[in-house]
């Protein structure tokens, strides 16, 4: 039982993240459609503070499944939850929705590739894996590395299989129809 002045929620813990630059800074995320799903401790867990934010700069009341701290700047946080990725530039006091990230999709895992561009990788629930360089800060314009669905992903495609198509960016229906027409004729 948590007896700290700010008790942690009595819900499923989804992630415990230790700041790579300061082992006394710890984040805990929680499941549940509640307003307090991210907590931060600056003293190794002796005390906790809600870091969900509030109002227009707060996180939505959704389960938060994953949290990572940027390897070069401990103020930059990234969380993945039931409706996408959210970023913070102030250790979780305020949050922002990236405009070009994988929106309205459950993000189950976030991690950094240890390379010069500090690529953030997001694994979603059924919508593929995305990555984006973050060396310039927490703003994301995520691009897909894998967008394969259904029978094609399982290797069991055949004439008559349906195809799920996710378009990132902008394209008219007519442009998509023209681009896909040759593939459609193969299966006729």
């Amino acid at each position: 039982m948590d007896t700290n002045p700010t008790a942690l929620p009595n819900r499923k813990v989804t992630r415990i993240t230790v700041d790579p630059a300061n082992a006394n800074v710890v984040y805990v995320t929680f499941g549940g459609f509640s307003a307090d799903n991210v907590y931060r401790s600056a003293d190794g867990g002796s005390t906790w503070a809600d870091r969900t934010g509030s109002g227009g700069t707060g996180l939505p009341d959704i389960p938060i499944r994953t949290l990572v701290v940027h390897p070069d700047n401990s103020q930059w946080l990234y969380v993945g939850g039931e409706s996408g990725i959210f970023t913070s530039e102030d250790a979780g006091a305020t949050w922002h929705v990236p405009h070009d990230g994988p929106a309205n999709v459950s993000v189950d895992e976030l991690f950094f590739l240890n390379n010069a561009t500090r690529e953030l990788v997001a694994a979603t629930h059924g919508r593929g894996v995305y990555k984006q360089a973050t060396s310039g800060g927490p703003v994301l314009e995520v691009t897909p590395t894998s967008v394969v669905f259904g029978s094609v992903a399982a290797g069991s495609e055949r004439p008559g299989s349906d195809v799920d198509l996710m378009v990132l960016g902008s394209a008219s229906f007519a442009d998509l129809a023209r681009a896909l027409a040759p593939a459609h004729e193969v299966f006729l």
Side-chain angles (χ1 to χ4, degrees):
M1 180 170 160
D2 187 355
T3 58
N4 288 320
T6 302
L8 294 173
N10 188 19
R11 292 192 305 277
K12 177 184 175 185
V13 172
T14 55
R15 185 66 44 126
I16 299 172
T17 302
V18 178
D19 184 334
N22 182 349
N24 285 319
V25 177
V26 182
Y27 294 90
V28 178
T29 64
F30 293 89
F33 292 91
S34 300
D36 58 345
N37 282 332
V38 178
Y39 278 80
R40 179 181 189 265
S41 175
D43 55 16
S46 294
T47 59
W48 295 93
D50 181 5
R51 297 305 275 188
T52 309
S54 63
T57 60
L59 290 171
D61 298 350
I62 60 169
I64 301 297
R65 294 193 175 87
T66 181
L67 181 148
V68 293
V69 178
H70 195 280
D72 300 325
N73 186 335
S74 293
Q75 296 294 303
W76 296 346
L77 303 179
Y78 304 81
V79 297
E82 190 71 19
S83 62
I85 298 173
F86 300 86
T87 63
S88 175
E89 298 178 15
D90 53 16
T94 60
W95 295 92
H96 309 282
V97 179
H99 296 289
D100 296 325
N104 297 322
V105 63
S106 179
V107 175
D108 293 332
E109 187 70 45
L110 293 172
F111 61 91
F112 281 98
L113 294 177
N114 196 13
N115 55 23
T117 59
R118 299 294 196 210
E119 288 178 312
L120 177 66
V121 178
T124 68
H125 187 83
R127 294 289 181 168
V129 178
Y130 298 80
K131 68 179 178 176
Q132 174 63 39
T134 64
S135 57
V139 176
L140 293 180
E141 292 182 15
V142 181
T143 57
T145 58
S146 173
V147 185
V148 179
F149 303 101
S151 59
V152 174
S156 60
E157 72 276 1
R158 63 190 186 305
S161 292
D162 67 329
V163 175
D164 295 321
L165 177 67
M166 179 176 13
V167 178
L168 300 175
S170 61
S172 71
F173 179 78
D175 290 339
L176 291 173
R178 276 191 294 277
L180 294 172
H184 177 74
E185 290 177 15
V186 168
F187 289 107
L188 290 179

